[in-house]
């Protein structure tokens, strides 16, 4: 049975423009009526479009669907599905880590509100530190993060996992971006110079008030 474009569009819940786009990409080749050159679609076109729509949900680009189906179908489809599974696994790992990170940050807020000024022993996870900037109180030098990692460290994917680290030097304060090592596998941050690894350890910790933004002074920590 033949269908007009508006009929096949309604069956598949697609726009006519999208059906024409599938045709432009070589997914289907509808026949045309001799009298007016209008497109007509048969049941095989429906099957082909339905399969293409399904493949698009597995991240197969519409422009690639024709090649996937035409050349070594089983091998090509196997690769599509394997790639999709890998993408989903990576996405799930990232989402799981984001959930864990959100819970961790929430716990920090609760801990800070309840224990400010109290000294405690706390287990600190393993971190990798990337240099950020040097400062004197709230006067900061140029950002010193190595260029090879700067785009990734400052990406929306990585920034939620960053913790600020602060080290008091001889007249110079050193700031670093710390990423817990357990999160590194889902962030793909390359190695670079000047990184520092901190192993998991127990530390004597104290939650302090660092003052308002723009009013930090090193002596505030030294007094504590």
């Amino acid at each position: 049975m033949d269908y007009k474009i508006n009929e096949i569009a309604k069956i598949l819940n697609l726009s006519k423009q999208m059906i024409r786009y599938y045709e432009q990409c070589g997914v289907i080749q509808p026949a045309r009526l001799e009298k007016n050159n209008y497109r007509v679609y048969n049941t095989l076109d429906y099957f082909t479009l339905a399969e293409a729509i399904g493949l698009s949900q597995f991240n197969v680009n519409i422009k690639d669907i024709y090649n996937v189906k035409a050349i070594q179908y089983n091998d090509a489809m196997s690769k599509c599905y394997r790639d999709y599974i890998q993408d989903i696994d990576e996405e799930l790992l990232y989402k799981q880590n984001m959930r864990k990170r959100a819970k961790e940050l929430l716990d920090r807020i609760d801990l800070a509100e309840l224990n400010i000024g109290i000294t405690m022993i706390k287990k600190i996870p393993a971190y990798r530190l990337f240099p950020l900037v040097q400062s004197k109180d709230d006067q900061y030098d140029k950002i010193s993060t190595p260029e090879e990692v700067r785009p990734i460290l400052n990406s929306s994917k990585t920034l939620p996992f960053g913790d600020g680290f602060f080290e008091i030097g001889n007249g110079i304060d050193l700031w670093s971006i710390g990423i817990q090592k357990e999160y590194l596998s889902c962030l793909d941050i390359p190695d670079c110079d000047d990184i520092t690894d901190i192993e998991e350890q127990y530390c004597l910790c104290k939650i302090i008030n660092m003052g308002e933004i723009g009013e930090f002074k090193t002596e505030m920590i030294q007094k504590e």
Side-chain angles (χ1 to χ4, degrees), residues 128-133 142-154 175-177 189-196:
R128 175 159 293 172
L129 305 186
F130 300 86
L132 177 58
V133 69
K142 186 177 180 180
I143 298 293
S144 58
T145 306
E147 291 186 4
E148 58 266 35
V149 297
R150 192 179 298 176
I152 297 178
L153 284 177
N154 291 307
W175 295 83
S176 302
I177 301 173
I189 304 174
D191 292 332
C192 67
D193 295 333
D194 300 325
I195 60 174
T196 302

Side-chain angles (χ1 to χ4, degrees), residues 114-133:
L114 295 173
N115 296 287
I116 191 165
I118 298 176
T119 302
M120 67 191 80
I121 296 176
K122 185 178 179 182
K123 188 176 184 180
I124 305 299
Y127 272 90
R128 175 159 293 172
L129 305 186
F130 300 86
L132 177 58
V133 69

Side-chain angles (χ1 to χ4, degrees), residues 34-182:
E34 291 185 5
K35 60 181 179 180
N36 52 21
N37 204 36
Y38 284 180
R39 296 176 179 85
V40 290
Y41 302 82
N42 57 30
T43 304
L44 183 58
D45 291 325
Y46 162 78
F47 289 149
T48 303
L49 284 169
E51 183 182 21
I53 293 169
L55 288 174
S56 68
Q57 296 306 301
F58 291 102
N59 296 338
V60 180
N61 190 289
I62 293 175
K63 294 182 178 180
D64 296 331
I65 288 175
Y66 177 79
N67 291 330
V68 166
K69 294 181 61 180
I71 304 173
Q72 296 181 327
Y73 178 84
N74 286 339
D75 291 342
M77 289 307 305
S78 294
K79 184 180 186 304
C80 288
Y81 294 136
R82 281 194 296 268
D83 290 347
Y84 181 76
I85 290 171
Q86 181 178 344
D87 290 343
I88 289 295
D89 287 344
E90 292 174 356
E91 182 180 346
L92 287 174
L93 175 62
Y94 182 77
K95 290 293 186 181
Q96 290 168 354
N97 283 328
M98 278 291 288
R99 185 186 188 283
K100 183 176 182 180
R101 177 66 171 169
K103 180 65 168 57
E104 177 183 303
L105 295 173
L106 179 61
D107 290 343
R108 286 186 192 179
I109 292 174
D110 293 340
L111 186 67
E113 291 181 348
L114 295 173
N115 296 287
I116 191 165
I118 298 176
T119 302
M120 67 191 80
I121 296 176
K122 185 178 179 182
K123 188 176 184 180
I124 305 299
Y127 272 90
R128 175 159 293 172
L129 305 186
F130 300 86
L132 177 58
V133 69
Q134 296 182 355
S135 71
K136 176 60 178 176
D137 296 333
D138 257 331
Q139 301 298 314
Y140 298 93
D141 293 340
K142 186 177 180 180
I143 298 293
S144 58
T145 306
E147 291 186 4
E148 58 266 35
V149 297
R150 192 179 298 176
I152 297 178
L153 284 177
N154 291 307
S155 69
S156 59
K157 181 178 179 180
T158 303
L159 283 173
F161 295 95
D163 287 316
F165 277 73
F166 172 80
E167 180 181 351
I168 299 174
N170 294 324
I172 296 294
D173 304 324
L174 306 176
W175 295 83
S176 302
I177 301 173
I179 306 289
Q180 291 184 38
K181 288 188 176 180
E182 67 174 306

Side-chain angles (χ1 to χ4, degrees), residues 194-205:
D194 300 325
I195 60 174
T196 302
D197 287 330
I198 299 178
E199 299 307 318
E200 181 180 87
Q201 58 190 290
Y202 286 94
C203 296
L204 191 64
C205 304

